[in-house]
């Protein structure tokens, strides 16, 4: 009975850790079960973060939020709905509006009309030097700005920061029907504002403004006061990758404490550390290593194009085609070379992509491919000098399409261009040589090798004693991990 009770306690704590880590805001009204679970484990969770990350958990009767301060710039988009600079501007200024006008109020004072908020944001953007000199102020007569405003409001709604009281925001955006909507701020909006460290935001903004696609190390100013291992923890948990290029001291600290970090990842989250020569990342229970945000989609044509370009880069760098000298596994390459790779990929595989990608211009599709490669932490740039930084993570995977004759045999006919084609994503030999398991066991198979039941193996995984990856059909445990635990048991 005590064993079962302990296992349940471990499972609850792991579940609470993951919920806290992968939710920006946990609302009592919107997520009652998750809120209750995290609230019950609050002391243990805060103690863990005090020890490893230094992050604080903000808790009120209505909202719980882990304030995850990064130690390095994070590539890509935290929110898929916010991808344009004006989207972010609108999002920030909506919170500013709440703080300056409504933050101290209650009840109906928290409510606002969408048209009134838009008018205030438009006035705000036109004064005070809040935008760069070459950037036009917001003008909601333009549909593109109305959509930026809509996406920002939608993101805040998904976070639980606002709720719709009456009307339709879509009608306001399209300027049809009622053309207005009544919204209301919630306690979650207050939590988002309280966690905002403006000096850090302004310091980061100055760096990005000088060169938004800089190839320099991505460490944030002001993080030197943190211990190297604490910086490593923060970057690993926020993802997608900790590069030795960005923070050599943090990387060295991680190498020195690799076993401890791997154990803590397993016991706290059910995740696993993937350590390479020049980078490290977390393998989550879903089997992904790209962080809490899904960064790549093999069914998306732009993502397919990006991965095919990355595969070509891997082959050329591995074959020594370019006389380039790496810096901590990173290579600086003229952007023209990467554009030429994309041209070749498009020429060879373009007919396999969807109709939208096939109709998109070369320049626009290349821009989207660059954005995808940056988001997945495979490249940085192009910078203002016309160079890109190829990251060591490019060597992580090989990709290929099924031969067309194979597709025809499966479907009985040749698929139309852009449909029915499958892109396979496979570990490369480089990945396997650097320590990843090329052979996996099920929990039952691992149990037979270790002389225990499959349930015991699962319990060990959840307790962090052995590392495993959850798949749709159950757990997978690497052969190397089974050998490690087997050696420990034989020693005992």
């Amino acid at each position: 009975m005590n064993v079962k009770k302990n296992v349940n306690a471990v499972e609850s704590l792991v579940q609470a850790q993951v919920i806290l880590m992968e939710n920006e805001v946990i609302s009592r009204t919107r997520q009652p079960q998750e809120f209750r679970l995290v609230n019950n484990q609050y002391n243990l969770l805060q103690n863990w973060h005090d020890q490893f990350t230094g992050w604080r958990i903000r808790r009120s009767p209505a909202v719980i939020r882990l304030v995850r301060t990064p130690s390095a710039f994070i590539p890509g988009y935290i929110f898929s709905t916010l991808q344009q600079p004006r989207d972010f501007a609108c999002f920030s200024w909506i919170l500013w509006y709440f703080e300056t006008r409504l933050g101290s109020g209650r009840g109906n004072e928290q409510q606002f009309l969408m048209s009134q908020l838009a008018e205030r944001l438009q006035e705000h953007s036109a004064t005070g030097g809040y935008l760069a000199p070459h950037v036009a102020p917001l003008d909601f007569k333009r549909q593109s700005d109305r959509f930026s405003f809509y996406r920002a409001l939608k993101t805040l709604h998904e976070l639980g920061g606002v709720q719709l009281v009456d009307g339709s925001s879509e009608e306001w955006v399209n300027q049809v029907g009622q053309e207005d909507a009544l919204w209301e701020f919630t306690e979650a909006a207050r939590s988002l504002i309280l966690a905002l460290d403006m000096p850090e935001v302004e310091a980061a903004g100055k760096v990005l403004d000088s060169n938004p696609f800089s190839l320099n190390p991505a460490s944030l100013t002001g993080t030197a006061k943190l211990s190297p291992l604490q910086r490593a923890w923060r970057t690993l948990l926020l993802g997608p990758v900790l590069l030795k290029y960005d923070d050599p001291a943090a990387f060295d600290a991680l190498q020195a404490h690799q076993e401890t970090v791997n154990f803590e990842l397993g016991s706290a989250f059910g995740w696993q550390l993937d350590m390479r020569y020049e980078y490290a990342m977390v393998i989550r229970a879903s089997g992904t290593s790209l962080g809490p945000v899904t960064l790549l989609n093999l069914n998306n044509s732009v993502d397919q194009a990006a991965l095919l370009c990355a595969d070509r880069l891997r082959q050329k760098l591995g074959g020594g085609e370019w006389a380039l000298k790496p810096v901590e596994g990173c290579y600086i390459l003229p952007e023209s070379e990467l554009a030429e790779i994309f041209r070749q990929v498009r020429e060879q595989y373009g007919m396999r992509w969807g109709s939208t990608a096939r109709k998109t211009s070369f320049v626009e599709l290349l821009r989207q491919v660059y954005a995808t490669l940056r988001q997945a932490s495979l490249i940085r740039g192009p910078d203002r000098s016309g160079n890109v930084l190829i990251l060591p993570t490019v060597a992580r995977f090989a990709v290929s399409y099924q031969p067309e004759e194979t597709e025809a045999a499966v479907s009985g006919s040749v698929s139309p261009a852009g449909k029915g084609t499958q892109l396979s994503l496979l570990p490369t030999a480089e990945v396997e040589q650097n320590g990843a398991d090329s052979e996996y066991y099920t929990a039952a198979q691992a149990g037979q090798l270790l002389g225990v039941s499959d349930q015991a193996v699962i319990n060990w995984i959840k307790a962090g004693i052995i590392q495993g990856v959850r798949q749709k059909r159950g757990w997978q445990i690497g052969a190397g991990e089974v050998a490690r635990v087997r050696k420990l048991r034989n020693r005992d």
Side-chain angles (χ1 to χ4, degrees):
M1 181 64 72
N2 287 336
V3 172
K4 184 177 180 180
K5 186 177 180 180
N6 290 338
V7 169
N8 289 338
V10 169
E11 289 180 349
S12 295
L13 184 56
V14 169
Q15 190 178 358
Q17 282 274 31
V18 174
I19 290 170
L20 185 66
M21 187 66 227
E22 300 200 339
N23 285 272
E24 286 291 329
V25 177
I26 305 167
S27 167
R28 185 172 191 166
T29 56
R30 294 161 63 99
Q31 302 158 282
Q33 292 183 344
E34 291 86 348
F35 183 93
R36 189 181 308 112
L37 179 60
V38 173
N39 194 46
N40 288 342
Q41 301 284 353
Y42 169 78
N43 289 329
L44 291 174
L45 295 171
Q46 186 59 73
N47 288 340
W48 192 91
H49 282 287
D50 286 343
Q51 183 177 355
F52 297 106
T53 68
W55 291 335
R56 300 300 300 171
I57 303 172
R58 290 192 176 274
R59 183 174 61 157
S60 74
V63 171
I64 297 177
R65 182 168 187 253
L66 175 63
V67 182
R68 293 164 288 179
T69 307
S71 60
F73 288 105
I74 300 171
Y77 315 114
I78 299 300
F79 308 114
S80 60
T81 47
L82 300 180
Q83 298 187 9
Q84 302 298 325
R86 296 173 91 81
D87 299 353
F88 285 99
C90 288
F91 182 83
S92 301
W93 286 338
I94 291 171
L95 290 175
W96 161 83
Y97 178 79
F98 168 73
E99 182 183 31
T100 56
R101 294 299 182 90
L102 304 172
S104 60
R106 292 290 186 271
N108 292 338
E109 295 179 36
Q110 300 290 325
Q111 296 181 353
F112 61 92
L113 285 172
M114 196 167 179
S115 59
Q116 293 174 338
L117 175 58
E119 181 181 353
R120 189 69 187 93
L121 263 58
Q122 185 170 299
E123 293 173 359
H124 184 62
S125 73
T127 59
Y130 299 107
L131 295 171
H134 64 280
V135 177
L138 292 170
D139 181 359
F140 292 117
K141 292 179 181 177
R142 290 195 298 260
Q143 189 178 48
S144 59
D145 280 354
R146 292 200 303 274
F147 271 109
S148 284
F149 181 45
Y150 169 72
R151 287 191 290 268
L153 202 57
K154 179 181 179 183
T155 301
L156 192 55
H157 177 248
E158 290 171 352
L159 288 171
V162 293
Q163 57 191 15
L164 184 64
V165 178
D166 189 29
S168 168
S169 53
E170 289 84 355
E171 287 185 359
W172 182 89
V173 170
N174 295 307
Q175 295 191 336
V176 297
Q178 180 180 326
E179 294 189 14
D180 215 337
L182 180 65
W183 287 84
E184 184 176 73
F185 285 108
T186 71
E187 183 65 23
R190 191 183 305 276
S191 177
L192 290 168
I193 289 170
L194 289 173
L196 195 62
D197 189 325
M198 283 310 300
E200 289 191 7
V201 172
E202 290 170 358
K206 289 178 180 177
V207 173
L208 292 174
D209 184 57
S210 63
N211 193 346
F213 297 133
S214 171
L215 310 187
N216 294 326
S219 295
L220 285 165
T221 56
T223 58
K225 60 187 178 182
L226 303 173
S227 72
L229 188 58
Q230 197 173 65
R231 297 199 303 270
W233 267 111
R234 290 185 175 192
T235 305
L236 281 174
L237 290 177
L238 290 176
V241 63
L242 168 63
L243 293 171
K244 186 173 184 178
Y245 173 83
D246 285 335
D247 194 338
F251 191 85
D252 291 345
L254 178 62
Q255 280 188 317
H257 297 85
Q258 182 176 346
E259 280 196 26
T260 301
V261 172
N262 199 24
F263 176 83
E264 286 297 332
L265 277 172
S267 58
F269 301 95
W271 299 343
Q272 185 175 355
L273 178 66
D274 189 4
M275 194 87 193
R276 306 296 177 196
Y277 295 124
E278 298 102 358
Y279 68 91
M281 56 175 53
V282 169
I283 305 293
R284 282 165 164 74
S286 61
T288 66
S289 57
L290 296 173
V293 180
T294 301
L295 299 177
L296 295 170
N297 178 2
L298 294 183
N299 294 320
N300 181 282
S301 296
V302 174
D303 289 13
Q304 290 182 17
L307 284 167
L308 288 164
C309 288
D311 187 51
R312 290 285 176 91
L313 283 168
R314 176 185 62 82
Q315 294 177 36
K316 287 179 177 291
L317 290 169
E321 186 169 327
W322 295 308
L324 301 173
K325 186 177 180 180
V327 178
E328 304 294 5
C330 301
Y331 296 85
I332 294 179
L333 184 73
E335 185 271 338
S336 57
E337 294 281 4
L338 186 49
E340 174 59 20
I341 286 176
F342 171 70
R343 186 195 65 76
Q344 295 172 8
V345 165
R346 192 186 195 206
E347 188 175 280
Q348 182 174 357
Y349 298 112
M351 291 306 293
R352 289 177 175 259
W353 302 340
S355 59
T356 301
R358 296 200 308 274
K359 293 175 182 176
T360 303
S361 70
F362 177 90
V363 173
E364 173 58 23
L365 197 57
L366 179 59
R367 185 192 67 79
Q368 295 177 28
V369 166
Y370 285 163
T372 299
L373 289 171
R374 285 195 299 267
Q375 185 179 4
S377 210
L378 298 176
I379 72 165
R380 286 188 188 149
D383 68 357
R384 289 172 178 165
S385 300
N387 293 317
V388 293
L389 186 73
I390 310 301
L391 305 183
T393 43
V394 154
R396 190 170 177 80
F397 296 108
V399 297
S400 64
Y401 283 109
Q402 286 185 1
E404 291 186 1
E405 57 270 20
T406 302
E407 294 172 4
V410 172
S411 63
S413 62
V414 177
S415 300
K419 296 192 176 182
T421 56
Q422 297 293 318
L423 188 71
S424 301
L425 183 61
L426 301 170
T428 63
E430 182 270 343
V431 173
E432 294 176 4
Q433 290 168 4
N434 282 354
D437 285 307
S438 57
E439 183 179 1
Y440 287 88
Y441 297 115
T442 65
Q445 291 168 335
Q448 290 178 352
L449 291 170
L450 295 170
V452 296
S453 68
D454 58 341
Q455 187 58 52
V457 173
I458 293 171
N459 292 343
W460 286 354
I461 292 171
K462 292 176 179 177
I465 297 170
I466 188 170
Q467 304 303 316
V469 176
R470 183 183 287 280
Q471 303 291 349
K472 289 183 179 179
R473 297 183 179 179
W475 288 92
Q476 282 190 338
I477 302 96
E481 186 68 3
V482 172
R484 180 186 67 81
V485 176
R486 195 175 187 179
K487 187 184 296 183
L488 289 173
R489 287 174 60 80
N490 290 339
R491 186 188 306 167
D492 293 341

